[in-house]
Amino acid sequence: MASQPTQKLSQYLASTEFRSYLMSTHFWGPVANWGLPLAAFADMKKSPEFISPTMTTALILYSGIFMRFAWRVQPRNMLLFACHAANETGQLVQMGRYIDFFHMGGKDRALGTAAAAVAGVTEKTAQK
C-alpha cells in the first residue's frame, strides 16, 4: 500500500492541472532556456581569453531582469527563476574569470613560465 504523500504525488501527476502545466510556456520556456547556463558552465573549462565581456554583461543583465520577472509573474515561475539564477551565477563567474585574466594579472600568470624563461634569458644577455 502506498503512503499518503506518494498517493498525493501520483494523483497530482495524473491531474489535468499538471498536464496543463506541461503544455504551457511556464514549463517549456524555462526548459528551452537551460541552454544558456549549461553553455556558461561548459565554457568555464575554456581559456578566459575567449570570453566576450560585452556578451557576458548582456547575459548578466538579461538573467537579472528575467529572475525578477519570474518572481513577479503570477503564478510564480520557479523553474524560470532557477534557470536564470543558474545563468546569472555562470555569467558572473565568467566575468570574474575575464577580469582576472585581463585586468588582475591572470594572463601574466598563465604565461608566467614562458615569460619568466624569456625574461631570464634577456636579463642575462643584457648583463653580459
Side-chain angles (χ1 to χ4, degrees), residues 26-37:
H26 273 263
F27 178 76
W28 289 107
V31 168
N33 244 349
W34 272 102
L36 293 171

Side-chain angles (χ1 to χ4, degrees), residues 92-110:
L92 286 170
V93 168
Q94 290 291 74
M95 185 58 83
R97 292 179 65 225
Y98 173 84
I99 291 169
D100 178 58
F101 190 77
F102 287 103
H103 301 292
M104 305 292 281
K107 192 174 195 177
D108 296 333
R109 286 190 305 274

Side-chain angles (χ1 to χ4, degrees), residues 42-95:
D43 286 348
M44 287 180 196
K45 295 178 183 175
K46 296 179 182 174
S47 173
E49 64 186 326
F50 299 110
I51 296 171
S52 165
T54 307
M55 189 64 187
T56 302
T57 302
L59 287 170
I60 288 169
L61 295 173
Y62 163 77
S63 284
I65 291 166
F66 274 90
M67 273 195 302
R68 183 179 188 285
F69 168 79
W71 188 260
R72 300 286 297 174
V73 71
Q74 292 298 323
R76 281 195 177 136
N77 193 336
M78 296 310 288
L79 187 57
L80 184 64
F81 184 85
C83 172
H84 283 292
N87 189 43
E88 184 83 8
T89 302
Q91 297 302 331
L92 286 170
V93 168
Q94 290 291 74
M95 185 58 83

